[in-house]
Amino acid sequence: MMKLSILALLLAFSGVAATFAQEMTAEEKTRYVKAITERADKIVVNLGISDHKKSEKVRDMIRDQYSNLNDIYTTRDLKIKEIKAKNESNKVERDSALAKEDREVTKALNKLHEKYINKLAAHLTNEQIDLVKNGMTYNVLPITYKAYQEQILTLTEEQKKQILVWLTEAREHAMDAESSDKKHAWFGKYKGRINNYLSAAGYDLKQEGIEWEKRRKAKAQAN
């Protein structure tokens, strides 16, 4: 196995400058494809698919999604570079062009996202699709949802439902983000919304966190 982790490779290639991406050597391209294929394999192994051909087909869908996302961001980086060079002395024009490019990227991501989910839906159950989504976002949703319930023992069912709704929305955005940091940033944004919601409901999140830590320590000592 390569010393560089699969995640590190993904981040390295997804964040690479557009110019470098265009000049990628055959060896670098092979390493990149190997990295995203292995990443997709790790997700598929948790889906419980017994049919090998079906498993490979789903694996390839996930791999291609990583590649397609990278293509969108690579093209964006090139266009941003061109916009900045063209409007170096005109901030108004530059900012307007950059905002337009941002809208085009969002439109492309939304279209790709919908197409991807539809492809998965033709072969997977809703539960399996959720596992794919979690796999593409480092399982932040289930981990965070569980943490909120463990931290605040008095959450109502309505509050739990709202927390899950927002974390699910965050995951949809995070799936399409270009790097680990930006995936986590989406969850951070929605966790801020959740925390404001809970604070408005009367919870002292700082104190809840202190009490949760006490319970965790007590449990660890008991074991």
Side-chain angles (χ1 to χ4, degrees):
M1 184 174 179
M2 295 178 292
K3 291 182 180 179
L4 192 60
S5 69
I6 293 172
L7 176 56
L9 274 171
L10 283 172
L11 298 183
F13 281 106
S14 64
V16 74
T19 302
F20 178 81
Q22 288 185 331
E23 297 174 355
M24 191 183 294
T25 66
E27 181 181 356
E28 288 164 343
K29 178 66 174 178
T30 298
R31 289 177 61 201
Y32 171 65
V33 173
K34 182 175 185 291
I36 59 177
T37 301
E38 290 178 350
R39 178 62 177 165
D41 268 326
K42 285 191 172 184
I43 294 173
V44 172
V45 76
N46 294 315
L47 303 183
I49 302 174
S50 57
D51 187 301
H52 181 67
K53 288 186 178 180
K54 180 178 178 179
S55 178
E56 281 193 339
K57 189 176 186 66
V58 173
R59 187 273 315 276
D60 290 348
M61 288 179 187
I62 300 170
R63 177 203 63 198
D64 292 346
Q65 180 69 359
Y66 279 124
S67 181
N68 291 335
L69 287 169
N70 186 66
D71 288 344
I72 289 175
Y73 287 117
T74 296
T75 301
R76 177 209 60 186
D77 290 345
L78 180 58
K79 288 184 178 180
I80 287 176
K81 184 178 179 180
E82 292 174 345
I83 289 169
K84 289 182 176 180
K86 182 179 179 181
N87 301 284
E88 188 174 359
S89 59
N90 192 329
K91 185 177 185 299
V92 174
E93 286 294 331
R94 182 197 66 195
D95 290 349
S96 176
L98 289 175
K100 181 180 179 181
E101 176 58 24
D102 185 60
R103 291 193 296 270
E104 290 300 319
V105 169
T106 298
K107 187 186 301 183
L109 290 173
N110 290 340
K111 184 177 180 180
L112 178 64
H113 185 98
E114 182 178 0
K115 185 176 181 181
Y116 175 54
I117 298 303
N118 287 338
K119 283 183 177 180
L120 292 177
H123 301 278
L124 302 176
T125 64
N126 290 336
E127 290 75 16
Q128 287 173 319
I129 292 175
D130 274 340
L131 290 174
V132 172
K133 292 179 177 182
N134 287 336
M136 294 184 72
T137 53
Y138 316 118
N139 289 303
V140 174
L141 185 155
I143 291 171
T144 305
Y145 185 54
K146 181 173 181 286
Y148 271 115
Q149 294 178 81
E150 291 179 348
Q151 178 181 352
I152 306 175
L153 301 178
T154 55
L155 287 173
T156 66
E157 290 305 311
E158 182 181 354
Q159 288 166 343
K160 292 177 184 177
K161 182 179 179 180
Q162 183 59 70
I163 290 170
L164 184 57
V165 165
W166 277 330
L167 289 176
T168 300
E169 189 174 330
R171 186 181 63 183
E172 293 302 302
H173 291 294
M175 283 174 61
D176 301 332
E178 62 192 291
S179 68
S180 173
D181 286 345
K182 292 191 177 182
K183 288 177 187 291
H184 284 289
W186 274 111
F187 284 104
K189 176 181 178 179
Y190 278 84
K191 283 167 68 177
R193 183 180 297 182
I194 292 168
N195 290 345
N196 290 338
Y197 166 72
L198 295 174
S199 293
Y203 291 105
D204 183 338
L205 297 183
K206 183 177 180 180
Q207 187 58 41
E208 293 287 354
I210 292 172
E211 295 302 321
W212 182 31
E213 183 61 24
K214 288 180 181 177
R215 293 194 298 271
R216 293 168 68 186
K217 286 182 178 180
K219 183 177 180 180
Q221 291 173 354
N223 294 334

